[in-house]
Amino acid sequence: MSLYYFLQNYHTGYERERDMTLEEFVLKDPETQNHQTKLAYGDPENPDITKAKENLKTFTVVGVTELFNETLFCLKKEYDWDDIHYTRKNITKNRLAKEEVPSELINLIRKYNALDFELYDYAKKLLCEKLQSLTAEEQRQWAKFKLEQSALN
């Protein structure tokens, strides 16, 4: 859904997709099917979930958008960044919330992106493991960052 709305609103060169519904986009554009797994594996033709997961394990930090603050904090810790506070920009407008998308379409998206859903769960697991390994001092810093960041957004 995110890729669809991004291409609808911001990306040039995808004019054909602009005329598609979300359902048509899922069914007719093979680029969208298991796209993240293809990227993580490195082969756009043959997504391999096992090798994609192995590749994720080689990164010091793996993040997910839904846990952006957690990802950002782990990156700060890993790379000794200073100020990681931010304000939200470039938020896609005119898009349906997941709750507004018919369940049949959600099921279709899941069917055509089953490997991506598995990879997402794995990436989230890696991030949660990283968060669980925080020291007491890092947990204090994390709590402080969450509080400060919530005041910005």
Side-chain angles (χ1 to χ4, degrees):
M1 287 175 50
S2 178
L3 179 60
Y4 172 76
Y5 286 109
F6 172 74
L7 294 177
Q8 292 285 310
N9 292 290
Y10 299 107
H11 208 285
T12 58
Y14 286 86
E15 285 71 23
R16 180 177 73 97
E17 284 79 354
R18 285 208 180 101
D19 295 329
M20 291 182 180
T21 65
L22 179 55
E23 182 176 4
E24 290 169 333
F25 184 67
V26 171
L27 292 171
K28 295 181 180 178
D29 194 336
E31 181 181 329
T32 67
Q33 298 167 7
N34 293 307
H35 184 70
Q36 294 300 315
T37 304
K38 291 172 186 175
L39 290 174
Y41 173 49
D43 184 344
E45 300 299 320
N46 303 303
D48 183 318
I49 189 66
T50 302
K51 291 183 179 172
K53 287 178 180 180
E54 288 173 11
N55 286 344
L56 286 190
K57 284 195 289 190
T58 67
F59 290 90
T60 52
V61 176
V62 175
V64 296
T65 304
E66 291 79 7
L67 297 172
F68 183 77
N69 286 339
E70 291 83 347
T71 300
L72 191 58
F73 185 81
C74 288
L75 287 166
K76 174 196 183 323
K77 175 186 168 292
E78 194 65 39
Y79 298 108
D80 200 29
W81 291 350
D82 291 324
D83 183 11
I84 58 171
H85 295 91
Y86 65 93
T87 55
R88 293 179 176 197
K89 296 182 180 180
N90 294 331
I91 298 170
T92 304
K93 308 221 182 329
N94 303 324
R95 74 175 276 172
L96 294 175
K98 184 179 175 186
E99 300 76 31
E100 298 174 295
V101 178
S103 60
E104 298 83 19
L105 184 50
I106 295 290
N107 291 336
L108 186 69
I109 292 169
R110 285 188 177 281
K111 174 184 173 186
Y112 280 89
N113 293 280
L115 297 178
D116 276 5
F117 279 92
E118 184 177 339
L119 189 66
Y120 168 83
D121 288 340
Y122 186 73
K124 192 173 176 181
K125 174 182 169 275
L126 292 176
L127 179 60
C128 289
E129 288 172 358
K130 180 78 73 177
L131 290 167
Q132 290 171 354
S133 71
L134 295 176
T135 66
E137 173 58 22
E138 290 166 342
Q139 289 175 11
R140 187 192 65 71
Q141 292 170 6
W142 165 232
K144 180 181 178 206
F145 171 70
K146 283 192 295 189
L147 186 63
E148 292 168 348
Q149 191 58 44
S150 67
L152 292 174
N153 288 309

